PDB file of all heavy atoms in Angstrom:
ATOM      1  N   GLU G  36      73.527 158.296 101.107  1.00 98.00           N
ATOM      2  CA  GLU G  36      74.250 158.951 100.013  1.00 98.00           C
ATOM      3  C   GLU G  36      73.854 158.286  98.715  1.00 98.00           C
ATOM      4  O   GLU G  36      73.961 157.064  98.596  1.00 98.00           O
ATOM      5  CB  GLU G  36      75.766 158.802 100.195  1.00 98.00           C
ATOM      6  CG  GLU G  36      76.353 159.539 101.368  1.00 98.00           C
ATOM      7  CD  GLU G  36      76.655 160.987 101.045  1.00 98.00           C
ATOM      8  OE1 GLU G  36      76.720 161.357  99.860  1.00 98.00           O
ATOM      9  OE2 GLU G  36      76.812 161.765 101.998  1.00 98.00           O
ATOM     10  N   GLY G  37      73.356 159.062  97.775  1.00 98.00           N
ATOM     11  CA  GLY G  37      73.011 158.469  96.496  1.00 98.00           C
ATOM     12  C   GLY G  37      71.970 159.271  95.752  1.00 98.00           C
ATOM     13  O   GLY G  37      71.755 160.460  96.024  1.00 98.00           O
ATOM     14  N   THR G  38      71.295 158.585  94.843  1.00 98.00           N
ATOM     15  CA  THR G  38      70.289 159.213  93.991  1.00 98.00           C
ATOM     16  C   THR G  38      69.066 158.313  93.941  1.00 98.00           C
ATOM     17  O   THR G  38      69.189 157.088  93.968  1.00 98.00           O
ATOM     18  CB  THR G  38      70.832 159.384  92.550  1.00 98.00           C
ATOM     19  OG1 THR G  38      72.025 160.159  92.603  1.00 98.00           O
ATOM     20  CG2 THR G  38      69.834 160.080  91.650  1.00 98.00           C
ATOM     21  N   SER G  39      67.901 158.923  93.879  1.00 98.00           N
ATOM     22  CA  SER G  39      66.689 158.147  93.614  1.00 98.00           C
ATOM     23  C   SER G  39      65.932 158.809  92.474  1.00 98.00           C
ATOM     24  O   SER G  39      65.978 160.022  92.288  1.00 98.00           O
ATOM     25  CB  SER G  39      65.823 158.000  94.863  1.00 98.00           C
ATOM     26  OG  SER G  39      65.416 159.231  95.380  1.00 98.00           O
ATOM     27  N   ARG G  40      65.260 157.951  91.721  1.00 98.00           N
ATOM     28  CA  ARG G  40      64.453 158.411  90.594  1.00 98.00           C
ATOM     29  C   ARG G  40      63.092 157.747  90.691  1.00 98.00           C
ATOM     30  O   ARG G  40      63.004 156.573  91.064  1.00 98.00           O
ATOM     31  CB  ARG G  40      65.118 158.031  89.267  1.00 98.00           C
ATOM     32  CG  ARG G  40      66.373 158.823  89.006  1.00 98.00           C
ATOM     33  CD  ARG G  40      67.066 158.383  87.711  1.00 98.00           C
ATOM     34  NE  ARG G  40      68.229 159.212  87.451  1.00 98.00           N
ATOM     35  CZ  ARG G  40      69.390 159.110  88.063  1.00 98.00           C
ATOM     36  NH1 ARG G  40      69.549 158.216  88.998  1.00 98.00           N
ATOM     37  NH2 ARG G  40      70.391 159.910  87.757  1.00 98.00           N
ATOM     38  N   GLY G  41      62.036 158.505  90.335  1.00 98.00           N
ATOM     39  CA  GLY G  41      60.712 157.925  90.448  1.00 98.00           C
ATOM     40  C   GLY G  41      59.641 158.746  89.777  1.00 98.00           C
ATOM     41  O   GLY G  41      59.922 159.675  89.006  1.00 98.00           O
ATOM     42  N   THR G  42      58.401 158.399  90.110  1.00 97.00           N
ATOM     43  CA  THR G  42      57.223 159.031  89.538  1.00 97.00           C
ATOM     44  C   THR G  42      56.254 159.396  90.651  1.00 97.00           C
ATOM     45  O   THR G  42      56.074 158.628  91.600  1.00 97.00           O
ATOM     46  CB  THR G  42      56.517 158.076  88.553  1.00 97.00           C
ATOM     47  OG1 THR G  42      57.439 157.742  87.513  1.00 97.00           O
ATOM     48  CG2 THR G  42      55.281 158.703  87.943  1.00 97.00           C
ATOM     49  N   MET G  43      55.616 160.569  90.510  1.00 96.00           N
ATOM     50  CA  MET G  43      54.607 161.041  91.446  1.00 96.00           C
ATOM     51  C   MET G  43      53.317 161.314  90.678  1.00 96.00           C
ATOM     52  O   MET G  43      53.349 161.903  89.598  1.00 96.00           O
ATOM     53  CB  MET G  43      55.068 162.331  92.134  1.00 96.00           C
ATOM     54  CG  MET G  43      54.016 162.960  93.030  1.00 96.00           C
ATOM     55  SD  MET G  43      54.533 164.574  93.687  1.00 96.00           S
ATOM     56  CE  MET G  43      55.732 164.041  94.892  1.00 96.00           C
ATOM     57  N   LEU G  44      52.188 160.872  91.248  1.00 94.00           N
ATOM     58  CA  LEU G  44      50.872 161.169  90.705  1.00 94.00           C
ATOM     59  C   LEU G  44      50.099 161.965  91.751  1.00 94.00           C
ATOM     60  O   LEU G  44      50.143 161.635  92.942  1.00 94.00           O
ATOM     61  CB  LEU G  44      50.105 159.887  90.387  1.00 94.00           C
ATOM     62  CG  LEU G  44      50.769 158.909  89.418  1.00 94.00           C
ATOM     63  CD1 LEU G  44      49.925 157.641  89.303  1.00 94.00           C
ATOM     64  CD2 LEU G  44      50.983 159.544  88.067  1.00 94.00           C
ATOM     65  N   THR G  45      49.395 163.002  91.313  1.00 92.00           N
ATOM     66  CA  THR G  45      48.650 163.845  92.242  1.00 92.00           C
ATOM     67  C   THR G  45      47.182 163.921  91.834  1.00 92.00           C
ATOM     68  O   THR G  45      46.827 163.692  90.681  1.00 92.00           O
ATOM     69  CB  THR G  45      49.219 165.274  92.283  1.00 92.00           C
ATOM     70  OG1 THR G  45      48.991 165.906  91.019  1.00 92.00           O
ATOM     71  CG2 THR G  45      50.699 165.280  92.612  1.00 92.00           C
ATOM     72  N   ALA G  46      46.336 164.261  92.795  1.00 91.00           N
ATOM     73  CA  ALA G  46      44.913 164.472  92.544  1.00 91.00           C
ATOM     74  C   ALA G  46      44.384 165.401  93.628  1.00 91.00           C
ATOM     75  O   ALA G  46      45.030 165.630  94.645  1.00 91.00           O
ATOM     76  CB  ALA G  46      44.161 163.150  92.550  1.00 91.00           C
ATOM     77  N   GLY G  47      43.203 165.941  93.387  1.00 90.00           N
ATOM     78  CA  GLY G  47      42.573 166.811  94.368  1.00 90.00           C
ATOM     79  C   GLY G  47      42.751 168.269  94.021  1.00 90.00           C
ATOM     80  O   GLY G  47      43.121 168.625  92.897  1.00 90.00           O
ATOM     81  N   ASP G  48      42.504 169.121  95.003  1.00 89.00           N
ATOM     82  CA  ASP G  48      42.547 170.566  94.813  1.00 89.00           C
ATOM     83  C   ASP G  48      43.380 171.206  95.927  1.00 89.00           C
ATOM     84  O   ASP G  48      42.837 171.623  96.955  1.00 89.00           O
ATOM     85  CB  ASP G  48      41.128 171.135  94.808  1.00 89.00           C
ATOM     86  CG  ASP G  48      41.077 172.610  94.467  1.00 89.00           C
ATOM     87  OD1 ASP G  48      42.146 173.207  94.200  1.00 89.00           O
ATOM     88  OD2 ASP G  48      39.976 173.166  94.478  1.00 89.00           O
ATOM     89  N   PRO G  49      44.712 171.280  95.744  1.00 86.00           N
ATOM     90  CA  PRO G  49      45.556 171.830  96.801  1.00 86.00           C
ATOM     91  C   PRO G  49      45.217 173.275  97.156  1.00 86.00           C
ATOM     92  O   PRO G  49      45.464 173.716  98.280  1.00 86.00           O
ATOM     93  CB  PRO G  49      46.977 171.706  96.252  1.00 86.00           C
ATOM     94  CG  PRO G  49      46.850 171.360  94.824  1.00 86.00           C
ATOM     95  CD  PRO G  49      45.471 170.842  94.592  1.00 86.00           C
ATOM     96  N   GLU G  50      44.622 174.019  96.233  1.00 89.00           N
ATOM     97  CA  GLU G  50      44.237 175.409  96.522  1.00 89.00           C
ATOM     98  C   GLU G  50      43.231 175.481  97.676  1.00 89.00           C
ATOM     99  O   GLU G  50      43.209 176.449  98.414  1.00 89.00           O
ATOM    100  CB  GLU G  50      43.649 176.074  95.272  1.00 89.00           C
ATOM    101  CG  GLU G  50      44.641 176.232  94.135  1.00 89.00           C
ATOM    102  CD  GLU G  50      45.736 177.246  94.445  1.00 89.00           C
ATOM    103  OE1 GLU G  50      45.428 178.283  95.066  1.00 89.00           O
ATOM    104  OE2 GLU G  50      46.888 176.986  94.076  1.00 89.00           O
ATOM    105  N   THR G  51      42.385 174.448  97.816  1.00 93.00           N
ATOM    106  CA  THR G  51      41.385 174.438  98.883  1.00 93.00           C
ATOM    107  C   THR G  51      41.870 173.660 100.106  1.00 93.00           C
ATOM    108  O   THR G  51      41.129 173.540 101.083  1.00 93.00           O
ATOM    109  CB  THR G  51      40.068 173.807  98.393  1.00 93.00           C
ATOM    110  OG1 THR G  51      40.301 172.425  98.073  1.00 93.00           O
ATOM    111  CG2 THR G  51      39.520 174.544  97.186  1.00 93.00           C
ATOM    112  N   GLY G  52      43.083 173.111 100.051  1.00 92.00           N
ATOM    113  CA  GLY G  52      43.626 172.367 101.189  1.00 92.00           C
ATOM    114  C   GLY G  52      43.241 170.908 101.213  1.00 92.00           C
ATOM    115  O   GLY G  52      43.396 170.245 102.235  1.00 92.00           O
ATOM    116  N   SER G  53      42.733 170.377 100.084  1.00 95.00           N
ATOM    117  CA  SER G  53      42.349 168.966 100.018  1.00 95.00           C
ATOM    118  C   SER G  53      42.952 168.352  98.760  1.00 95.00           C
ATOM    119  O   SER G  53      42.540 168.681  97.644  1.00 95.00           O
ATOM    120  CB  SER G  53      40.828 168.826 100.001  1.00 95.00           C
ATOM    121  OG  SER G  53      40.288 169.306 101.217  1.00 95.00           O
TER     122      SER G  53
END
Side-chain angles (χ1 to χ4, degrees):
E36 293 276 343
T38 302
S39 59
R40 290 177 177 77
T42 300
M43 175 186 286
L44 303 175
T45 67
D48 186 2
E50 295 292 321
T51 64
S53 296

